[in-house]
Amino acid sequence: MSGNIFQNAFDRLVSARERQVRRYVNGALLGMDDAQLKALGRTREELQREGAQAYFF
């Protein structure tokens, strides 16, 4: 039982960190022009919809 509590806490921590990194990367990608985003297969609207963050902790 106690192992399950720690596993759940660890899984939630990893999930939160992944969301934070995704927002950071989206913020960096929004600094690119539309031609570069198109070459990566992304759109500005898609990145804005997913959310962005300009700083990283």
Side-chain angles (χ1 to χ4, degrees), residues 9-42:
F10 180 74
D11 290 343
R12 287 175 187 247
L13 181 69
V14 169
S15 177
R17 188 71 173 138
E18 286 174 345
R19 286 190 307 271
Q20 184 182 21
V21 169
R22 234 179 277 128
R23 287 190 307 265
Y24 173 75
V25 170
N26 285 349
L29 289 174
L30 283 171
M32 296 179 158
D33 63 20
D34 290 335
Q36 291 173 319
L37 290 174
K38 185 178 179 183
L40 293 172
R42 306 293 301 264

